[in-house]
Amino acid sequence: MGTIYLSTPLTTEKVEKLRAGDRVYISGTIITGRDAAHKRLIETIQSGSELPINLASQIIYYVGPTPARPGEVIGSAGPTTSGRMDPYTPILLEKGLKGMIGKGSRSKEVKDAIRKYKAVYFASIGGAAALAAQQIKNARVLLYPELGPEAIYEFEVEDFPVIVVNDCYGGDLYIDGIKKYHRILNADI
């Protein structure tokens, strides 16, 4: 487990250097999206239409930011539970999405797709939405403005702190953490 400073776009080569447990600071452009935006993207794909955004080498942050106060770039911007996007994620990874930021664990189907398409899942700190917002230097609505906070935004971030949970080799920080805890617990008995 190391500390890595990563700039976007997120290429396969960059993904292959990441391991579950790595602390990562992301700088560059990321997009956002929650349930409603994911549903629209999948409906577009299923209709045979071209996506209104190129997902290749993108990182998507599962967030619905609050409105900015005067003088601020964005309001609170904490992560949404990632499992809500699981039904949509494998299709978006197939379309070139390389990274996801959220909170909580992912389904087996998503973890399999992460390995298959050489992607990565990062966790952001839940409950620290105001702190996360400080690393967002610019924000603009990119798609679906009628969805309000669930619109797809483009964020410019600087040293946005995340941790690799699922890497492209099958590493899973949450499972590894439980195993480590059980080893420690059993050693103390």
Side-chain angles (χ1 to χ4, degrees), residues 32-72:
T32 72
R34 286 182 29 163
D35 317 42
H38 276 69
K39 183 178 179 188
R40 290 229 184 140
L41 291 172
I42 295 304
E43 288 170 348
T44 301
I45 292 167
Q46 290 173 338
S47 75
S49 299
E50 189 171 324
L51 282 172
I53 184 171
N54 182 1
L55 294 177
S57 300
Q58 292 276 10
I59 298 173
I60 192 165
Y61 182 25
Y62 303 143
V63 62
T66 63
R69 293 180 184 158
E72 293 182 351

Side-chain angles (χ1 to χ4, degrees), residues 6-21:
L6 185 70
S7 60
T8 61
L10 184 59
T11 62
T12 299
E13 293 76 24
K14 292 175 184 177
V15 168
E16 289 174 333
K17 292 178 183 175
L18 300 171
R19 299 294 186 276

